[in-house]
């Protein structure tokens, strides 16, 4: 019988919360900003999660393409974010979830409070205070 005293190699990834817009190719930056504005302006509801937020979006095909395009660039700029896109059945809404390690949720809250990305009534319902 072998004992369970084998050392475990644990890799601890330290999350660095830093955005780098220069990671996005220069010719794509304006489109990235515009897609982000359109995606967040279309948010119908925000739900807080233990490690971030999820955003309910309309379920039309053009929105799906905007979300995909936005994520493809946003992940370069904000490598600390974990993205999940849930596509619900029967033409239900899309849910874009942004999450991350310690400090990421607070950072996201500060971004949404400092910038007018969401429609006012959606931001208020989510508990975001205007800066």
């Amino acid at each position: 019988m072998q004992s369970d005293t084998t050392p475990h190699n644990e890799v601890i990834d330290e999350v660095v919360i830093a955005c780098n817009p220069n990671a996005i190719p220069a010719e794509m930056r304006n489109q990235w900003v515009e897609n982000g504005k359109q995606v967040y302006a279309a948010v119908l509801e925000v739900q807080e999660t233990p490690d971030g937020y999820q955003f309910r979006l309309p379920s039309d095909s053009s929105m799906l393409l905007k979300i995909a395009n936005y994520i493809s660039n946003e992940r370069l700029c904000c490598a600390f974010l974990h993205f999940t896109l849930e596509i619900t059945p029967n033409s239900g809404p899309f849910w874009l979830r942004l999450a991350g390690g310690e400090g990421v949720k607070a950072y996201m809250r500060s971004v949404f409070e400092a910038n007018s990305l969401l429609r006012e009534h959606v931001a208020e319902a989510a508990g975001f205070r205007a800066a």
Side-chain angles (χ1 to χ4, degrees):
M1 178 184 228
Q2 185 177 9
S3 69
D4 191 22
T5 58
T6 308
H8 298 286
N9 292 330
E10 289 186 29
V11 177
I12 298 174
D13 294 325
E14 185 175 321
V15 175
V16 176
I17 302 172
C19 296
N20 180 10
N22 293 325
I24 299 168
E27 66 275 9
M28 299 297 296
R29 284 187 208 132
N30 287 338
Q31 182 183 4
W32 160 64
V33 169
E34 188 56 34
N35 275 341
K37 286 179 181 179
Q38 290 175 11
V39 167
Y40 290 113
V43 168
L44 303 169
E45 176 186 1
V46 178
Q47 291 181 355
E48 189 172 349
T49 65
D51 57 354
Y53 295 94
Q54 61 184 13
F55 305 88
R56 182 170 59 96
L57 290 150
S59 61
D60 60 81
S61 295
S62 64
M63 180 55 63
L64 180 59
L65 294 174
K66 284 179 187 167
I67 296 166
N69 191 293
Y70 172 70
I71 291 171
S72 72
N73 286 305
E74 185 71 9
R75 62 186 286 274
L76 300 174
C77 173
C78 300
F80 57 89
L81 284 175
H82 178 98
F83 298 90
T84 304
L85 178 58
E86 179 182 358
I87 301 170
T88 60
N90 300 317
S91 299
F94 300 144
W95 285 95
L96 173 61
R97 183 169 182 252
L98 304 178
E102 187 176 336
V104 170
K105 183 176 178 179
Y107 171 76
M108 285 191 300
R109 174 176 276 286
S110 72
V111 168
F112 284 104
E113 289 181 344
N115 302 291
S116 298
L117 298 172
L118 301 168
R119 290 179 288 173
E120 188 175 339
H121 73 279
V122 173
E124 286 177 7
F128 294 135
R129 298 178 309 273

